Amino acid sequence: MSALKADVIIVGGGIMGASSAFFLRQRGMSVILLERGLIGQQASGVNFGNTRRMGRPIEQLPLSNRSREIWLKFKELFGTDVELLLNGHLRAGFTPAHEERMVKYAEEAKSFGIGMQMLGTKTLHERFPYLAPEITTGCYAPHDGHANPRLAAPAIGRAAVRAGAQVFENTEMTSLEKDGGDFVATTADGRTFRAPVALVTAGAWGNRISTHFGEPVPMIAKSPQMCVTEPVPYAIGPTIGAIAETFEQVVYFRQVARGNIVIGGGGHEPADIDKRRAYVNPARTLYKLKSAPRVMPAFDHLHIIRVWGGIEGYMDDSRPAMGPSARVPGLFYAFGFSGEGFQLGPGVGEVMAELIATGATSTPIECYHIGRFATPVANAA
Amino acid sequence: MNHRFVRLAETNRARVRIVIDGQPVEALAGDTLMVAMLNNVRSLRESEFGDGRRAGFCLMGACQDCWVWTAHGTRLRACTTVVAEGMNIVTTQPEATWANLA
Amino acid sequence: MGQPRVIIIGTGPAGVRCAETLVAAGLRPIVVDENRRDGGQIYRRQPDNFTRPYDKLYGTEAERAQALHASFDALRGKVDYMPETLAWNIFGGKLHVVRDQRSRSLPYDALVICSGATDRLMPVKGWHYAGTYSLGAAQIALKAQACSIGRRVVFMGTGPLLYLVASQYVKAGADVAAVLDTSPLMRRLAALPKLLARPAVLRNGLALVSYLKRAGVQVLTGITPVEITGSAEDGVRGVVIRDNRGHERSFECDAVGMGYHLRPETQLADLARCTFRFDHETRQWLPEVGEDGRTSVPGVYLAGDGMKVLGADAAEIGGRLAALAVLKDFKFMVSDDELQGLRAEQAKMDRFRRGLAQAFPWPAQQAAALPDDAVVCRCEVVTAGDLRRTVREMGAQEANRAKALCRVGMGRCQGRYCGHAGAEIIAHAAGVPLEQVGRLRGQAPVKPLSMAVREEVE
C-alpha cells in the first residue's frame, strides 16, 4: 500500500493539533492529522476550561492575546458554540501579602491590554456578594472568561476536516522516522504517511517522540483533579481563583450557563501514560470541599455530582516545548503546556501554521524552544 | 385536586406541620419529605432546563430528581429525608442571590 | 492468621446473608448501608409507627421478609453496623464512606458489594412529566408509605414486577386504569420451559395476572408505548399506546408506573476497577464475575442484584456464596458440600432468570422508534434528536463521547436511567453493534456528595 502524502503530518489530535491543522489549511497547506483516540479526548477535554490571560507568565501574554482574538471569533471560524462566557476572571486573596503579589503582577502585565483592576475589600464584596468575608483583596480582569473544553477541540477538529484536513481518529502511530527529506509515520493498522514536515502535538506523550529524535524533555504526566456541582441558578459571573499557600488549598471555580459549577484544585495525581489511565484521589476531592467554601460559603449548601481527571504533560519549568526542533530540519513541536494550554490552543495552532508555512512567527516563542533542555550528552548523541 | 399522592392506609399517625412555598400544610409522622409534600401539592420543583415541574421518579435515592430547596438555601433529597416539624420548602428555583451572604 | 477486615455494602437479602455467614465463621464484618433501616428494596421496612402486618406488605414473600429482618436484628450486635452511611468511593484499597457530613476511609481485606438494583427504563415521549414514576417507586410509595402515586394509575412496561405492583395497588384499594405489557403473550409461552425451573414463582406470577383480570383491570400485552401525555405545569394526563393489533388506545390517568425489569447498580464495582463484559442476552454491561461472586479485582466480591439481577431469593444464596468465597480466599475451612448445594440452587435461579428475560425482553427496538422530541436524559433534558445529531453531525459513536458532546448521562443520576436507552439510540444512529458503543465510565461520587462533608479526624 503506498503512503498517503501531505505537506505536514501532525501527530496528536488535541486542541494544539486540531488547531494547527485548521490554520495550516487556511494557508493552503495539505495536512494529515493522526490521533490515537478521538480529537480532544485527553488534556484538551478534561481541563478546567479557563480562558484567562491574567496570571500567565509575562512572556506568554503575546501568545495568549493572539489566541484570545481567535476565541472571540470561535463560532464564526469553527462553526460551533462552545459555551464561551467572558464575564471576567477574579483572583482573590486573603492577606496583604496576596494583595502585593497581585499588584506586582498587574504592574508587570499592564501593557498587555488585560484591563486588570485591583479591588478593595468594600468594592469586592459589593460586586461579588457571595465571597467569604475573609477575602480582603482581589484583582479582576473583566474580559477574561471560560469555555467548555469537551466541545472546543472536537469543534476545531471538525472545522479542520471541513477545511480539507485529513484527520485519522482511532489511528495509533507506531513509528515516526526521517527518510531522506520526508518524515514517514507508520500506524498500527499498517498504513504509512509521508510529509516533509512533522508537527508533534502529542501532549503528555510528546516526550516519546522528541526523545526518539534525540531531544528528551523533563516532563511528567499528571492528572488534574476536577469536580462539578449540580446545576444551580446562575450567579457567579467570573472564573474565580483563590491564592493559596499550599497545593491542598488551591481552589478555582467557574459556573457554566446551565448552572453547574466546575471546581478544580487540591493538587494533582500522577497519571499513567502507558496504560492511559488517570484517577481522582478522593482525598483531593475532600480538599476542594473544604477550600471552596473558604472562598464562597454558599458552597456548603451544594453537592458535587461527578469528578474527573485526565492526562496532562507538565514540564519541569512549566513551559511548553514549542517551535522548531533543535536537531532535525522539518520537525516542529507544540506540547507540554503544563496545565495552561487550553486558552493558548487556538493561538498555538495559528502560530505553528505561520511558523511552518513562512519560516517565522510574529509572536515571541523563543523561550519555548526545545533546545533549552539540550545537554552536552544529548547533543553528542 | 391539589395533591398528587393518595393515602391508602396508615392515616392514624401524629401530625407534622411544614411550610411549602410559604403555605403551612400538614403531613404525618413517618412520611418522607416527598410524600409529605405530594400529599399537599402536585409537584416538588421546577426542572432547571425548561421542561416544567418535577415530582420525583424512583423514590429510592437513585434518580436524584427530588432534590428540593429549603427557604434557607439548603438542599434536601425529598425521598430519603424524613419529614420534620417546621421544614420550610420552596418549590421554585431561588434567585441568583442564593449564593449571597445575608 | 489475623481476622481479615471485611466490609459488606448493603443490607438487602444478599448483604444480610453474607454477614450472617461470616459471623457464623467467627468474623465481625463492617456492614454499611445508605438507608436508615435494613432490608434493601424488596424487603424495605415501613417506618416504626406504621402498623400493617407482614402479609399485607409482602404478600407471598411475607415469611421470607420476616425471616430476613429477624436475621438482621439478630446480627446487629455481632457486626459493625453503619446505617445512613453512603459508600461514595473506592480508592487505594479503602472504602470511602460518609455519614452526617463526615467522611471516613475504611481499609479492607475483602469488600462484598451488595448494592442491589434499580428499575431499568426505556424512555417514552412524555416520561419527564410530573407523575411518571418507576415501577419500583410505585411499589415503595405503597409499601413504605402506604400511598398510591396518583388518583388513577397506569402501569406500563414488562416483567414480573409490572404485575406484582399493579396487583398490590388493586389490593390496597388504589384505582388502576390499566396494565400495559410490551411483551407479547407468545413470548411467555415460549419461555415456559425455563420458567418451570421455579414452579412456585411461576404459579404466583400467573395468579397475579388472573387476580388483575378478575378485578376488572384491563391487561394488555404486546403493546407499544406511544406517548405519556400531560402538561409542563400539571404533569401526567394520560397514556397513549398501540395495542398488539396496531390500534391506538389511550388511557386517562394522573400517574404512570413504568419499568422493564431491573438493572444492577454497578457504580461501586466500577470504582473498584472491576472489569465488565457485555451481556448479549440482556443487552447491557455487567461486572465480570467468576465463581461465587469473585470479581477481576482480588478482594472485591459481588452478590445479589448488584452483581446480576436474579431476584431476592437468589440474592440470599449469592450473599452466602460470596461470604464462603471470602472465607475460602482467606484460608478458612469451608464446606464443599455447602458450596455445591448453593451453587446448584443459584444455577436453577439463573435458568429462571433467563426465562424471564425471554418472556419479558428489554424492548430495544423502542429506542430507535423514539421521536426526536422525546426526552432521553431526564436530568439534563437531552432528547433523542439531540443524541442522534451528536452521532450524525459530530461523529460520536461511543457512549462517553456522546456524553461529552451532548450531555446525555452527565446529570445527577450519572446515567442510571438514560444509559441503556442512550446506548441503543447511538448504536442505531451510528449503525454499529450495541457492544461497540461501550458503557458510561463510572465516576465518584456514587451519589451526590454534600460539599459540607469534611474528612473525619480519627
Side-chain angles (χ1 to χ4, degrees):
Chain A
M1 196 198 302
S2 60
L4 200 58
K5 293 187 185 147
D7 295 326
V8 185
I9 289 175
I10 302 175
V11 182
I15 199 169
M16 306 303 171
S19 183
S20 301
F22 178 85
F23 287 107
L24 282 165
R25 285 303 303 141
Q26 302 303 103
R27 290 177 173 274
M29 299 188 77
S30 57
V31 174
I32 287 165
L33 172 55
L34 304 175
E35 165 52 47
R36 171 176 43 208
L38 301 174
I39 302 291
Q41 218 173 10
Q42 299 297 341
S44 301
V46 301
N47 66 80
F48 175 60
N50 212 331
T51 60
R52 67 177 169 86
R53 293 170 296 163
M54 176 167 75
R56 292 182 178 272
I58 304 298
E59 90 281 340
Q60 200 176 86
L61 290 174
L63 179 59
S64 184
N65 270 336
R66 184 166 183 175
S67 197
R68 175 187 157 74
E69 292 306 308
I70 303 167
W71 276 107
L72 292 177
K73 298 180 296 186
F74 198 104
K75 175 117 199 251
E76 179 194 319
L77 263 181
F78 305 119
T80 310
D81 179 348
V82 295
E83 301 168 17
L84 180 68
L85 277 181
L86 295 173
N87 295 326
H89 177 70
L90 177 71
R91 249 173 131 192
F94 297 87
T95 67
H98 294 166
E99 184 178 11
E100 254 179 67
R101 273 167 68 174
M102 292 191 281
V103 166
K104 181 163 181 283
Y105 180 84
E107 180 61 32
E108 285 169 0
K110 70 177 175 209
S111 61
F112 289 92
I114 300 174
M116 290 170 283
Q117 310 156 13
M118 285 303 299
L119 301 177
T121 309
K122 186 161 175 290
T123 317
L124 199 54
H125 289 278
E126 270 165 15
R127 287 178 68 170
F128 309 111
Y130 41 75
L131 293 177
E134 290 77 13
I135 293 186
T136 54
T137 177
C139 188
Y140 179 61
H143 313 297
D144 282 353
H146 55 94
N148 188 337
R150 296 190 192 277
L151 302 183
I156 299 174
R158 286 193 305 276
V161 168
R162 285 195 302 273
Q166 296 176 90
V167 174
F168 297 89
E169 289 181 307
N170 296 309
T171 301
E172 174 160 12
M173 188 183 79
T174 48
S175 74
L176 182 68
E177 303 293 347
K178 195 87 194 281
D179 174 31
D182 278 348
F183 290 89
V184 180
T186 311
T187 56
D189 53 7
R191 287 190 284 192
T192 51
F193 304 84
R194 292 183 81 97
V197 172
L199 168 59
V200 179
T201 49
W205 295 268
N207 196 16
R208 283 185 180 162
I209 303 170
S210 71
T211 300
H212 179 70
F213 286 100
E215 297 175 293
V217 299
M219 183 170 74
I220 57 170
K222 294 200 283 192
S223 172
Q225 307 281 284
M226 307 299 304
C227 65
V228 68
T229 70
E230 58 195 322
V232 289
Y234 188 73
I236 304 162
T239 359
I240 300 183
I243 298 187
E245 314 299 345
T246 66
F247 264 122
E248 285 72 33
Q249 284 184 343
V250 169
V251 69
Y252 40 90
F253 51 92
R254 65 183 182 100
Q255 186 170 24
V256 306
R258 285 172 69 89
N260 310 76
I261 304 172
V262 179
I263 310 170
H268 292 79
E269 284 287 295
D272 187 334
I273 58 168
D274 295 313
K275 294 203 188 110
R276 299 204 285 282
R277 301 242 190 90
Y279 296 103
V280 174
N281 187 333
R284 300 198 184 276
T285 304
L286 291 168
Y287 295 152
K288 283 187 281 291
L289 262 45
K290 192 172 178 183
S291 58
R294 279 182 71 229
V295 180
M296 185 176 87
F299 270 125
D300 269 339
H301 297 168
L302 304 186
H303 294 73
I304 58 159
I305 60 174
R306 196 168 74 252
V307 305
W308 70 90
I311 304 178
E312 294 176 327
Y314 284 79
M315 297 286 210
D316 273 11
D317 61 3
S318 301
R319 289 175 168 75
M322 184 178 171
S325 161
R327 308 189 76 222
V328 182
L331 182 59
F332 294 83
Y333 300 110
F335 70 90
F337 286 82
S338 307
E340 308 274 312
F342 182 60
Q343 192 271 341
L344 300 176
V348 167
E350 197 180 61
V351 165
M352 294 313 294
E354 184 186 9
L355 182 62
I356 287 168
T358 70
T361 169
S362 56
T363 303
I365 56 167
E366 297 78 28
C367 57
Y368 302 141
H369 194 254
I370 199 169
R372 73 186 187 272
F373 298 119
T375 64
V377 172
N379 278 335
Chain B
M1 195 174 75
N2 62 346
H3 57 98
R4 176 168 295 284
F5 283 6
V6 176
R7 295 192 194 275
L8 298 176
E10 308 281 9
T11 48
N12 189 18
R13 292 181 272 145
R15 303 271 181 272
V16 174
R17 285 158 307 179
I18 64 173
V19 176
I20 303 175
D21 292 332
Q23 300 300 314
V25 297
E26 267 191 6
L28 301 178
D31 282 351
T32 61
L33 176 60
M34 174 191 252
V35 165
M37 289 179 71
L38 293 179
N39 272 295
N40 284 286
V41 295
R42 301 279 293 161
S43 57
L44 302 175
R45 68 180 189 96
E46 189 76 26
S47 167
E48 289 91 355
F49 305 119
D51 57 294
R53 308 292 297 173
R54 294 291 179 102
F57 183 74
C58 77
L59 264 74
M60 54 183 273
C63 73
Q64 317 304 327
D65 200 5
C66 67
W67 285 92
V68 296
W69 289 93
T70 69
H72 314 295
T74 55
R75 307 277 286 144
L76 295 173
R77 189 170 60 197
C79 74
T80 53
T81 302
V82 180
V83 75
E85 184 82 14
M87 277 185 170
N88 192 342
I89 310 294
V90 292
T91 67
T92 52
Q93 298 280 51
E95 300 296 316
T97 50
W98 65 269
N100 295 350
L101 304 181
Chain C
M1 66 157 277
Q3 296 260 330
R5 295 163 304 183
V6 185
I7 304 179
I8 301 169
I9 300 172
T11 58
V16 171
R17 294 301 173 210
C18 180
E20 196 175 54
T21 309
L22 292 175
V23 165
L27 268 59
R28 188 183 173 89
I30 293 171
V31 180
V32 172
D33 195 296
E34 195 186 354
N35 298 305
R36 212 166 302 112
R37 306 205 63 180
D38 60 287
Q41 300 306 330
I42 297 275
Y43 302 130
R44 185 182 268 256
R45 301 178 86 145
Q46 62 184 354
D48 276 332
N49 58 342
F50 280 43
T51 60
R52 292 166 302 170
Y54 269 85
D55 60 290
K56 201 152 195 176
L57 283 183
Y58 306 105
T60 55
E61 306 310 297
E63 252 184 65
R64 294 203 84 105
Q66 194 145 32
L68 194 80
H69 293 160
S71 297
F72 189 76
D73 288 339
L75 282 174
R76 269 161 162 272
K78 301 176 186 159
V79 302
D80 288 334
Y81 177 42
M82 301 175 68
E84 296 189 277
T85 302
L86 173 70
W88 67 276
N89 204 344
I90 297 173
F91 189 85
K94 294 191 186 164
L95 181 72
H96 291 258
V97 298
V98 62
R99 182 186 187 174
D100 285 338
Q101 317 284 40
R102 283 291 170 270
S103 181
R104 294 173 57 189
S105 56
L106 308 175
Y108 58 84
D109 297 306
L111 179 66
V112 188
I113 303 172
C114 307
S115 46
T118 69
D119 299 79
R120 193 176 185 194
L121 270 296
M122 171 61 76
V124 59
K125 177 172 166 167
W127 75 308
H128 61 284
Y129 285 130
T132 309
Y133 295 93
S134 64
L135 282 175
Q139 189 177 57
I140 289 167
L142 181 62
K143 197 187 290 180
Q145 297 282 278
C147 289
S148 166
I149 53 173
R151 205 175 28 89
R152 188 166 161 82
V153 184
V154 164
F155 290 104
M156 183 163 72
T158 202
L161 194 58
L162 175 67
Y163 296 93
L164 177 63
V165 182
S167 58
Q168 288 170 333
Y169 265 56
V170 171
K171 225 172 235 165
D175 180 2
V176 176
V179 175
L180 309 170
D181 188 343
T182 55
S183 305
L185 206 50
M186 286 308 294
R187 293 203 64 109
R188 243 175 277 176
L189 298 173
L192 213 44
K194 293 191 190 83
L195 294 175
L196 282 166
R198 305 191 67 199
V201 180
L202 178 59
R203 255 200 316 277
N204 287 339
L206 294 171
L208 291 176
V209 182
S210 55
Y211 170 78
L212 284 166
K213 291 190 168 154
R214 284 198 319 272
V217 176
Q218 283 189 85
V219 178
L220 304 184
T221 59
I223 65 107
T224 305
V226 172
E227 186 178 354
I228 294 174
T229 58
S231 74
E233 309 80 49
D234 203 47
V236 173
R237 285 213 197 98
V239 175
V240 180
I241 59 156
R242 274 195 307 280
D243 68 17
N244 61 6
R245 280 168 305 170
H247 300 143
E248 196 166 280
R249 303 270 309 266
S250 46
F251 302 87
E252 258 184 53
C253 62
D254 67 337
V256 177
M258 203 165 90
Y260 298 86
H261 204 39
L262 305 176
R263 50 157 285 285
E265 284 279 80
T266 55
Q267 298 82 6
L268 286 168
D270 209 351
L271 290 175
R273 306 187 196 170
C274 298
T275 57
F276 280 58
R277 55 156 199 90
F278 184 72
D279 181 55
H280 288 272
E281 190 184 5
T282 58
R283 299 176 71 85
Q284 62 184 312
W285 290 84
L286 297 173
E288 197 148 24
V289 266
E291 202 155 52
D292 308 330
R294 292 180 180 88
T295 68
S296 60
V297 178
V300 177
Y301 306 77
L302 298 174
D305 280 358
M307 175 186 87
K308 184 160 139 185
V309 177
L310 295 171
D313 298 347
E316 293 193 44
I317 293 168
R320 291 191 172 100
L321 278 171
L324 293 176
V326 171
L327 292 170
K328 198 163 189 198
D329 292 345
F330 286 88
K331 313 290 189 242
F332 285 68
M333 288 294 293
V334 158
S335 154
D336 262 329
D337 280 345
E338 192 181 354
L339 263 177
Q340 300 306 337
L342 290 169
R343 287 175 188 158
E345 274 298 298
Q346 193 171 66
K348 217 168 48 177
M349 310 265 174
D350 197 63
R351 190 167 158 72
F352 185 77
R353 175 203 69 79
R354 291 175 52 230
L356 287 181
Q358 184 178 5
F360 305 108
W362 163 246
Q365 70 287 354
Q366 278 179 41
L370 278 172
D372 279 348
D373 62 350
V375 170
V376 173
C377 170
R378 290 170 53 99
C379 296
E380 295 285 323
V381 190
V382 181
T383 64
D386 294 332
L387 190 43
R388 287 171 187 140
R389 251 188 311 280
T390 304
V391 173
R392 291 174 182 145
E393 293 169 20
M394 294 166 136
Q397 299 201 339
E398 187 267 338
N400 295 286
R401 184 64 158 185
K403 171 181 159 188
L405 297 180
C406 79
R407 306 188 71 88
V408 70
M410 208 185 256
R412 290 185 180 95
C413 92
Q414 287 214 37
R416 281 176 173 85
Y417 293 99
C418 68
H420 290 184
E424 298 274 5
I425 291 170
I426 294 168
H428 181 258
V432 301
L434 184 61
E435 182 172 2
Q436 204 171 299
V437 174
R439 65 187 185 91
L440 290 174
R441 211 170 295 131
Q443 288 159 330
V446 154
K447 296 197 177 170
L449 185 70
S450 163
M451 290 190 67
V453 166
R454 299 288 175 265
E455 191 139 34
E456 173 110 322
V457 179
E458 306 281 350

